[in-house]
Amino acid sequence: MTSIDDLFRKPSAGGKRKLQDPTAAFSHTPSNKSSKLTDGSSPRSSSNGTRESSVSNGSSSKAALVQDEVLDEEDVEAGPTLPSEDLEEEDGDDEEGRFFGGGVTKQEREVIDYIEKNEDGDVEEKIDSPWLRRTAINFERKINKNAELRAKYESDPMKFVGSEADLDGEIKGLSLLSEHGELYEEFVKLGCAGSLVGLLAHENTDIAIAVSELLAELTDEDSATTEDQWKTLVQAMIKSDVVDLLASNLGRLDENNESDRSGVYHVLNVIENILSDTENLEAVGSKDTLMQWLLARIKKTDTNARGKVGQNRQYAAEILAILLQSNKVNRDRFAQKEGVDALLQLLSIYRKRDPEKDSDEEEFAENLFDCLACCVEEKFASEKFVEGEGVELCLIMLREARLAKARALRVLDHALSGGNAVAVSMRLVDAAGLKTIFGMLMKSEKIERILIEHLIGILASLLRYLPGGSAERIRTLAKFVENDYEKILKLVELRREYKIRLVKTDTQIQKERDEMDAADAEEHADEWLSRQLDAGLFSLQALELILSWLVAEDNGARQTIAVLMGEDGLKVLERSLRDQLDGMDSSASAEAKATEEMLEALLLCVEQ
């Protein structure tokens, strides 16, 4: 039998190991646990300086005494066994300071690390079709659960508030879709787009606001979508009556509340995104509730904002400008709601006062002028413009305002070429507008090019639309010939400047055309035309049209123009009129056909 001394002295052949119970050698039942201490005894020493251990040999036991002797440290093996080579070592103790080795294999550690990362959310979930289907199912479940609890516990909100928090979280989680446009079509097919839009009618406005914010993000121009993917979602939204539901939210949100004020902004953001496709202009503008709210909102002042124009008021004006930009139906609808009169009232404060630079108010005023300039192109809206003394207001701004001057001139230019051009032309002359317009023309070297181009457009419209033989037309022609034809001299100078600028552009375009084949040249035709217009092609044609009118109307003007433009001056005007005729579309509108007839009549006069 192995002695106690041998157990302590001899090292194990297999290296270090754990300290075992010394009684294990005498017991039939091996134990890995150390001996339990009793009666305050210590396994290290007794009072008489000897080591002792209790052993059992059946019915009786006695203390085995081990004599003290100095043991060489290298001969004694005690303490924990070293971990095997396939175990990962860890620095320092564990939580309770008991072990220096982790006792975990490398493979186990990799599994643990993966689980920990997954629990911490470090493992990125793959956003694909399976993810979308799972998300769609959870989304619909959250909607149904909330609806069920709301119906069941209508009078006890605490019973369904938790389900609304879950629903809100699910809505916010869908924002990941904005980075995966390839999933938009499936999102629509699964019915999620319709369900999402339907939540805009949720009783809890916080849910509706969350949906508005999400829809704004999904339809934003910065979302990772192609044009087709974007249109797929937006068309599904429109079919689900998104515009009506958004408009109803505008009516129930209270902007005195910060959260609701933010909600109004998100709703307007969605509408703006939808309108980025001009095909949706009429679909959105046809909603009376929305148009009425926008009109009311631009009238409502924001007391605590600079210039009494806050972000949402400015945004409402911007949405209106987009709706009226290129849609006759929307313009007429707006005018029928007394929109033109509202614009004139709002703009009247800028007769002598400029809005603060780089402020919401400045952008607000810009948008109002844009709205007015668009509306006055239509006959009904322009009639309202004349009735509301819009011509007089614009003339006052030309004389007294600074920032509003250019905008007012643009409004007059659009009104004088629109569906009510005759009445506007007559009113401008009757309101003593000729002095203002010609005064600006003579100071054209001191004003911006854009103002000059609007002045040219106004003069061309006056000569075209003022009735022949009327007092207003005679007064206008007299302005051209007074002071020894100084106005005509100015027009000829302006024509020369525009011609020089355009010749440079045409030379460059011709150089590019010579380096291309016919197919490539055709592809660049629109780009070249745009560059010619930027160089002043339209204004040059308008100037030549004005000079042609004067040649036709007054012999003295004819002789002056012939002298100022040289021997071939009238030939130049003739070629210009022919070029404009050749550019006319024979299948165009009634207005275009009237223009064609005017050009033919002028050509006959110039050829004489």
Side-chain angles (χ1 to χ4, degrees):
M1 180 180 294
T2 306
S3 68
I4 296 297
D5 290 342
D6 291 338
L7 288 173
F8 277 93
R9 291 177 186 274
K10 295 180 180 179
S12 168
K16 292 186 178 180
R17 58 178 173 80
K18 291 183 179 180
L19 182 64
Q20 295 182 351
D21 186 351
T23 63
F26 305 99
S27 173
H28 296 290
T29 305
S31 173
N32 289 327
K33 296 182 179 180
S34 60
S35 303
K36 186 177 181 180
L37 302 180
T38 58
D39 300 330
S41 62
S42 169
R44 292 179 179 269
S45 63
S46 63
S47 59
N48 60 6
T50 61
R51 297 177 185 267
E52 60 182 26
S53 176
S54 299
V55 293
S56 171
N57 60 355
S59 60
S60 63
S61 65
K62 60 180 178 180
L65 301 179
V66 181
Q67 294 181 348
D68 292 334
E69 56 182 284
V70 179
L71 300 177
D72 186 87
E73 291 183 1
E74 296 180 358
D75 294 334
V76 178
E77 297 294 343
T81 305
L82 287 175
S84 60
E85 292 181 358
D86 65 336
L87 295 181
E88 181 185 23
E89 293 186 2
E90 294 184 3
D91 295 333
D93 298 345
D94 69 349
E95 295 182 61
E96 300 179 6
R98 292 174 298 184
F99 301 111
F100 291 93
V104 180
T105 65
K106 290 182 179 179
Q107 185 177 3
E108 291 169 338
R109 171 52 61 191
E110 290 175 0
V111 173
I112 293 173
D113 289 343
Y114 176 83
I115 294 173
E116 289 177 348
K117 287 182 179 179
N118 196 33
E119 288 176 348
D120 295 339
D122 294 337
V123 177
E124 185 175 351
E125 187 174 12
K126 187 176 181 181
I127 310 301
D128 53 10
S129 291
W131 171 86
L132 181 59
R133 286 192 290 271
R134 292 194 305 270
T135 302
I137 291 172
N138 288 333
F139 182 47
E140 296 295 340
R141 283 176 178 170
K142 295 290 193 302
I143 294 174
N144 294 334
K145 182 180 178 182
N146 177 243
E148 181 183 344
L149 291 176
R150 264 192 168 270
K152 187 175 181 179
Y153 302 107
E154 184 178 359
S155 59
D156 190 359
M158 294 305 297
K159 294 288 182 65
F160 56 76
V161 68
S163 67
E164 291 189 0
D166 292 341
L167 179 57
D168 183 72
E170 199 70 27
I171 293 169
K172 288 179 169 58
L174 287 172
S175 64
L176 289 171
L177 273 177
S178 63
E179 301 173 7
H180 299 274
E182 70 278 3
L183 298 177
Y184 276 27
E185 184 176 356
E186 187 172 358
F187 184 71
V188 171
K189 287 181 178 179
L190 290 171
C192 294
S195 297
L196 191 60
V197 170
L199 286 175
L200 288 170
H202 199 281
E203 293 87 343
N204 187 341
T205 56
D206 289 338
I207 295 293
I209 291 172
V211 172
S212 300
E213 187 173 2
L214 174 62
L215 291 176
E217 189 173 351
L218 295 179
T219 57
D220 190 82
E221 61 179 5
D222 293 331
S223 60
T225 59
T226 64
E227 183 178 354
D228 289 340
Q229 291 166 351
W230 184 91
K231 283 187 174 182
T232 297
L233 177 60
V234 171
Q235 289 305 314
M237 290 164 52
I238 292 175
K239 288 179 181 178
S240 300
D241 295 326
V242 68
V243 180
D244 282 329
L245 291 171
L246 289 170
S248 67
N249 274 284
L250 289 172
R252 67 171 175 160
L253 293 175
D254 180 10
E255 290 191 67
N256 291 321
N257 178 284
E258 185 175 352
S259 176
D260 283 12
R261 187 162 58 250
S262 176
V264 169
Y265 177 85
H266 292 311
V267 169
L268 295 176
N269 195 1
V270 178
I271 294 172
E272 181 189 20
N273 292 344
I274 293 173
L275 291 174
S276 62
D277 183 356
T278 54
E279 293 180 0
N280 298 327
L281 282 173
E282 193 167 336
V284 175
S286 63
K287 307 301 181 181
D288 280 344
T289 305
L290 175 62
M291 184 77 79
Q292 197 64 49
W293 185 90
L294 291 171
L295 184 55
R297 187 63 186 87
I298 64 173
K299 294 179 183 178
K300 182 181 177 182
T301 60
D302 300 317
T303 309
N304 298 323
R306 287 190 303 171
K308 296 185 178 180
V309 178
Q311 187 179 46
N312 286 344
R313 189 183 185 198
Q314 183 276 319
Y315 211 168
E318 184 176 343
I319 299 297
L320 266 180
I322 296 171
L323 283 171
L324 303 176
Q325 190 173 25
S326 57
N327 190 278
K328 182 183 185 306
V329 177
N330 288 344
R331 293 170 181 175
D332 288 341
R333 185 179 292 112
F334 180 74
Q336 289 166 1
K337 296 180 182 297
E338 304 300 327
V340 174
D341 188 58
L343 292 175
L344 292 175
Q345 290 182 22
L346 291 169
L347 288 170
S348 64
I349 65 173
Y350 301 114
R351 288 174 297 179
K352 298 182 180 180
R353 181 182 78 81
D354 288 341
E356 186 177 342
K357 194 169 181 61
D358 298 325
S359 64
D360 284 335
E361 185 187 10
E362 183 180 33
E363 194 168 350
F364 174 71
E366 291 272 8
N367 286 318
L368 294 184
F369 275 113
D370 287 345
C371 289
L372 189 58
C374 292
C375 286
V376 294
E377 292 183 0
E378 308 303 332
K379 181 174 175 53
F380 180 70
S382 186
E383 289 174 355
K384 293 292 184 180
F385 175 70
V386 173
E387 290 175 10
E389 299 184 345
V391 174
E392 289 83 352
L393 176 61
C394 287
L395 290 174
I396 291 173
M397 289 179 173
L398 293 182
R399 291 190 289 264
E400 301 180 5
R402 286 176 294 175
L403 180 128
K405 180 179 292 186
R407 285 75 180 173
L409 196 62
R410 176 171 172 249
V411 169
L412 284 176
D413 188 10
H414 282 254
L416 282 161
S417 59
N420 194 37
V422 174
V424 177
S425 299
M426 300 279 282
R427 177 62 69 88
L428 186 144
V429 177
D430 292 339
L434 292 178
K435 180 179 180 181
T436 303
I437 297 299
F438 280 98
M440 294 181 69
L441 174 68
M442 298 308 293
K443 297 176 182 178
S444 59
E445 67 278 357
K446 297 181 181 180
I447 60 178
E448 300 175 13
R449 179 182 164 188
I450 185 64
L451 292 180
I452 297 173
E453 293 177 354
H454 285 313
L455 285 171
I456 293 170
I458 289 171
L459 293 174
S461 294
L462 287 173
L463 289 173
R464 176 175 179 178
Y465 292 110
L466 284 172
S470 65
E472 289 81 5
R473 188 172 189 86
I474 294 172
R475 288 170 60 185
T476 302
L477 291 172
K479 274 290 182 182
F480 278 105
V481 301
E482 69 181 7
N483 296 331
D484 199 20
Y485 300 102
E486 64 175 4
K487 276 70 171 192
I488 293 178
L489 175 60
K490 187 67 177 180
L491 292 172
V492 172
E493 290 176 354
L494 284 173
R495 182 201 169 273
R496 185 179 299 112
E497 292 175 10
Y498 276 95
K499 185 65 176 178
I500 292 172
R501 186 183 297 120
L502 191 61
V503 166
K504 290 180 180 178
T505 302
D506 286 343
T507 302
Q508 182 62 35
I509 290 174
Q510 187 60 49
K511 183 178 179 181
E512 294 174 10
R513 182 182 282 111
D514 293 341
E515 297 173 355
M516 298 180 185
D517 56 30
D520 289 340
E522 187 176 352
E523 290 181 3
H524 286 77
D526 290 341
E527 177 197 340
W528 289 335
L529 177 59
S530 177
R531 285 163 59 182
Q532 288 176 317
L533 291 172
D534 289 341
L537 174 61
F538 181 80
S539 294
L540 176 63
Q541 291 178 339
L543 282 165
E544 291 171 342
L545 193 61
I546 293 170
L547 293 172
S548 298
W549 271 111
L550 295 174
V551 167
E553 293 273 0
D554 186 86
N555 286 329
R558 182 187 185 96
Q559 294 173 3
T560 302
I561 291 170
V563 172
L564 292 173
M565 295 186 66
E567 295 181 0
D568 295 331
L570 297 185
K571 291 292 183 182
V572 171
L573 296 180
E574 181 183 335
R575 285 196 299 271
S576 175
L577 293 173
R578 290 191 183 279
D579 287 343
Q580 292 184 52
L581 267 172
D582 293 340
M584 297 295 297
D585 185 356
S586 58
S587 62
S589 63
E591 178 67 18
K593 289 180 179 179
T595 301
E596 187 176 356
E597 292 175 0
M598 177 198 71
L599 290 172
E600 290 174 346
L602 285 175
L603 186 58
L604 291 174
C605 294
V606 172
E607 286 176 338
Q608 294 178 357

